[in-house]
Amino acid sequence: MTGDPKKKKRILSAAKEIFLKKGYTEAKMSEIAARANVSLGTIYNFFEGKRDLFDRLNLPELESIRPEREKKKREILRAALVLFGENGYAGTTMEQIAQSVGFSKAALYQYFRSKEELFSEMLRTSRLNITAKDIKGRTGGKDWEEVIIDIARSYLETHHEPERTAFLRSVIQDSNKFPDIGYLYYKRGFSQAAADIAFFLKKVQKKGKIKNVNLKLAATILLGALLSYVILYRVIKGIEAEFSEEEMVSLCAEIFINGLKASSAEKSELENKE
């Protein structure tokens, strides 16, 4: 196909901009035409169609990007968190979730094949627990002890939102009837958080700063103490907090850190091995 090379270059530039923004699937030829300030017919004078235009740009990594779909998925997951918190797992239906985001139930199933899959994805993506990404954001230039204090504080702060507390309450209540949701909460949430903390501590351990212990077990002990605070003073109703969050964070982190610190003898042993 032939034509004005400047116009062709403008179309390619506009297409690249639209594909970068929306990915291949969600990009429309009409948007590319408008951005390039040409007619659709002009584009077809140079390219056979959207696939041909996309292939000419050699950006295969944009094939699977679907920002609008991902945005809608996040909306669904946020709505599900609120509904699970209010009604529990058993009391929440896919139809209710669909209605809360203005979908039909059939449309919702295009995003999630079942309520269990939606629940699992919500645990994987929401800030119900500390993640490796959260930990990495706290490590810059800080001593490992400061990072642990930050982690402990952040863990309690994730439960400040009422719907998150309600969600935990529903997991505790519904897991008796639906053991799978208890398993998912543990596997996708608590256990993964402990694994992420242990991964961070492993690097510290290699430097000889902490004892040679099972680090995931150590992280489980830390998170277990913090979770007990959340359950006692936020999930269970009618109990007035006897201690503040800051008191809990301060002493819990101090006990944890002191329990992990390598002794002088252990440090010397490591140095001798090196």
Side-chain angles (χ1 to χ4, degrees):
M1 296 182 181
T2 60
D4 184 346
K6 289 184 179 179
K7 196 170 286 185
K8 181 178 181 180
K9 185 177 180 180
R10 199 162 74 239
I11 292 168
L12 285 168
S13 177
K16 183 176 181 179
E17 185 178 328
I18 298 298
F19 284 133
L20 283 170
K21 183 179 179 181
K22 295 196 167 186
Y24 174 76
T25 303
E26 292 179 1
K28 293 181 174 61
M29 290 289 275
S30 58
E31 294 172 321
I32 296 171
R35 186 72 187 86
N37 195 27
V38 298
S39 68
L40 270 174
T42 300
I43 294 181
Y44 286 110
N45 285 334
F46 292 96
F47 306 99
E48 294 178 0
K50 188 167 77 166
R51 170 53 64 182
D52 181 32
L53 180 52
F54 180 77
D55 289 343
R56 300 285 188 97
L57 291 168
N58 193 29
L59 295 169
E61 66 275 11
L62 301 180
E63 179 99 38
S64 60
I65 293 176
R66 301 185 67 178
E68 285 301 316
R69 181 179 175 84
E70 290 305 311
K71 180 182 176 183
K72 183 56 71 174
K73 276 185 73 173
R74 289 193 294 272
E75 289 177 15
I76 293 168
L77 293 169
R78 282 196 296 269
L81 174 62
V82 172
L83 288 170
F84 282 132
E86 290 176 349
N87 308 322
Y89 181 83
T92 300
T93 66
M94 290 291 273
E95 187 170 359
Q96 289 172 325
I97 296 170
Q99 288 176 351
S100 69
V101 291
F103 269 23
S104 67
K105 190 161 69 169
L108 179 60
Y109 279 111
Q110 296 299 311
Y111 290 82
F112 300 100
R113 292 171 295 180
S114 66
K115 185 167 70 169
E116 184 181 88
E117 182 182 280
L118 194 159
F119 184 87
S120 177
E121 181 68 7
M122 185 184 66
L123 288 175
R124 189 183 70 81
T125 59
S126 69
R127 286 195 68 250
L128 290 169
N129 278 302
I130 301 298
T131 66
K133 185 178 179 181
D134 294 326
I135 294 169
K136 187 176 181 180
R138 290 174 167 76
T139 56
K142 291 183 179 180
D143 184 86
W144 74 275
E145 298 176 29
E146 292 180 87
V147 175
I148 290 299
I149 293 170
D150 280 353
I151 287 172
R153 183 176 291 114
S154 179
Y155 186 81
L156 291 186
E157 286 175 352
T158 59
H159 295 87
H160 282 179
E161 297 173 36
E163 61 266 26
R164 295 184 187 277
T165 302
F167 174 77
L168 178 56
R169 186 181 297 116
S170 75
V171 170
I172 294 170
Q173 175 182 311
D174 290 339
S175 60
N176 186 47
K177 290 182 179 179
F178 304 96
D180 284 351
I181 70 167
Y183 170 79
L184 286 171
Y185 180 83
Y186 176 74
K187 199 70 178 176
R188 293 277 187 146
F190 189 94
S191 180
Q192 186 58 56
D196 289 338
I197 294 172
F199 182 77
F200 160 69
L201 290 173
K202 187 69 178 177
K203 297 177 182 178
V204 182
Q205 192 179 60
K206 287 180 179 178
K207 296 177 181 178
K209 294 183 179 181
I210 63 178
K211 295 177 179 178
N212 184 23
V213 296
N214 184 319
L215 294 176
K216 187 173 182 185
L217 174 58
T220 297
I221 291 169
L222 173 66
L223 294 179
L226 296 169
L227 184 60
S228 70
Y229 182 93
V230 174
I231 292 172
L232 276 173
Y233 299 136
R234 291 192 177 278
V235 174
I236 299 176
K237 294 182 179 181
I239 301 177
E240 186 175 344
E242 191 173 351
F243 309 103
S244 70
E245 279 194 9
E246 195 52 42
E247 285 177 309
M248 181 66 179
V249 166
S250 179
L251 188 55
C252 188
E254 181 182 340
I255 293 171
F256 179 78
I257 290 165
N258 289 337
L260 277 187
K261 277 184 180 178
S263 65
S264 299
E266 288 169 321
K267 288 179 181 178
S268 297
E269 184 181 343
L270 181 68
E271 290 170 0
N272 290 332
K273 285 181 179 179
E274 293 177 347

